[in-house]
Amino acid sequence: MLLSRKVTQAKNDGVLPPNMTQERLIFTTLPAPGEVFLLQAKVVGRNAADDIEKSTAQSEATRMLPPLMRFLREYIPGFERVHLIDIAPQIGVRETRRIIADHVLTEGEILNDRRFSDTIGLGGFYPDVHPPKGQDKTLASMVYPLRPYEIPFRILVPQGIEGVIVAGRCVSATQRAFGAIRVIPLCMVMGQAAGTAAALAARNSRSFHDLDIPDLQARLAKSGAFLHPEDADDRFEFTPLGPS
């Protein structure tokens, strides 16, 4: 909370710009001594599916960097001599378009341990949804799953289209469910399933809508994928990091 107050103070002092919507100071140390990773230049209200708006967002984020450096030097103990050594090659995009697939994953299914006959892997991240107008999220809105949840194959297969399968942040899910499955580890889970499914569909001349799901699951399990929470129970201790 102390660092949050520093952000508020710097905004009131005019050091941080008013479009600096992040109300907390978020950083983590890196393996290299004396280096930290800062997640602070957040842009809202831009449509990243539009190239011009995405470019504008990139410029807005870049202009936040000089006041951010001043803020760290003047307000945060230990950062008095901080300097910038690198920035991300492009602005990160939280979400744009998603498909409508044979199934739309919901937050309730994630939080209530819904089991799927076509599961292709597990997730464990919580529905992390940032308010679109830039308000900071609160702990009261952060609900954590009690154990790993199953991801169904059907959210990868678009309705009404043949020969297409998707993986990652364009899969079929509600906004709150998407906030949980958009993270990199789950994109890897879905990517492995999509690639395996594509090979099976091509080999057997099958539609993705009519794929042999048990065969797909067997191949994923053989390659090390965990398909059900109990598969991982004896290997990992699942400890949610959020409030009980």
Side-chain angles (χ1 to χ4, degrees):
M1 295 300 295
L2 175 61
L3 295 182
S4 296
R5 290 198 294 269
K6 293 287 188 180
V7 173
T8 301
Q9 180 185 347
K11 286 183 177 180
N12 293 336
D13 294 344
V15 173
L16 288 177
N19 65 336
M20 184 73 71
T21 59
Q22 185 71 48
E23 296 178 5
R24 295 167 292 162
L25 180 62
I26 302 177
F27 68 90
T28 183
T29 56
L30 295 175
E35 292 187 7
V36 297
F37 170 82
L38 182 70
L39 181 63
Q40 201 73 19
K42 182 178 179 181
V43 177
V44 299
R46 295 295 179 184
N47 178 11
D50 182 287
D51 289 341
I52 293 178
E53 289 211 25
K54 184 178 178 181
S55 178
T56 301
Q58 177 83 32
S59 298
E60 291 176 356
T62 302
R63 286 195 294 270
M64 293 180 189
L65 297 178
L68 262 176
M69 291 300 101
R70 179 187 171 190
F71 162 68
L72 292 172
R73 294 187 189 106
E74 297 182 6
Y75 289 79
I76 307 300
F79 283 82
E80 291 84 1
R81 299 176 62 187
V82 69
H83 62 276
L84 185 67
I85 60 174
D86 198 8
I87 64 172
Q90 64 178 16
I91 192 168
V93 177
R94 183 162 292 271
E95 62 178 302
T96 51
R97 299 184 179 95
R98 297 190 295 278
I99 65 167
I100 298 177
D102 291 346
H103 182 79
V104 180
L105 188 67
T106 69
E107 179 186 31
E109 291 170 334
I110 288 175
L111 298 179
N112 296 317
D113 199 20
R114 166 76 186 275
R115 301 304 178 95
F116 296 97
S117 61
D118 60 339
T119 174
I120 45 87
L122 298 177
F125 198 63
Y126 72 100
D128 177 25
V129 179
H130 290 213
K133 294 184 179 180
Q135 313 96 311
D136 207 19
K137 60 184 180 180
T138 65
L139 289 178
S141 68
M142 297 162 64
V143 181
Y144 290 72
L146 296 178
R147 65 185 310 192
Y149 47 84
E150 296 182 358
I151 304 298
F153 174 72
R154 285 167 291 164
I155 69 172
L156 312 183
V157 184
Q159 283 186 0
I161 303 176
E162 290 295 337
V164 175
I165 190 169
V166 305
R169 296 189 301 170
C170 51
V171 298
S172 181
T174 64
Q175 186 181 41
R176 290 199 61 82
F178 170 81
I181 65 173
R182 63 173 177 78
V183 293
I184 292 173
L186 267 171
C187 288
M188 295 169 66
V189 167
M190 292 182 282
Q192 180 184 11
T196 305
L200 290 176
R203 177 179 299 173
N204 302 318
S205 299
R206 300 283 292 271
S207 164
F208 289 121
H209 299 273
D210 190 34
L211 205 64
D212 186 335
I213 297 299
D215 186 19
L216 170 64
Q217 292 172 325
R219 292 173 184 273
L220 290 172
K222 185 177 180 180
S223 66
F226 300 132
L227 302 182
H228 308 285
E230 52 270 22
D231 295 341
D233 284 347
D234 61 348
R235 294 175 174 85
F236 302 100
E237 179 180 353
F238 185 73
T239 307
L241 299 179
S244 59

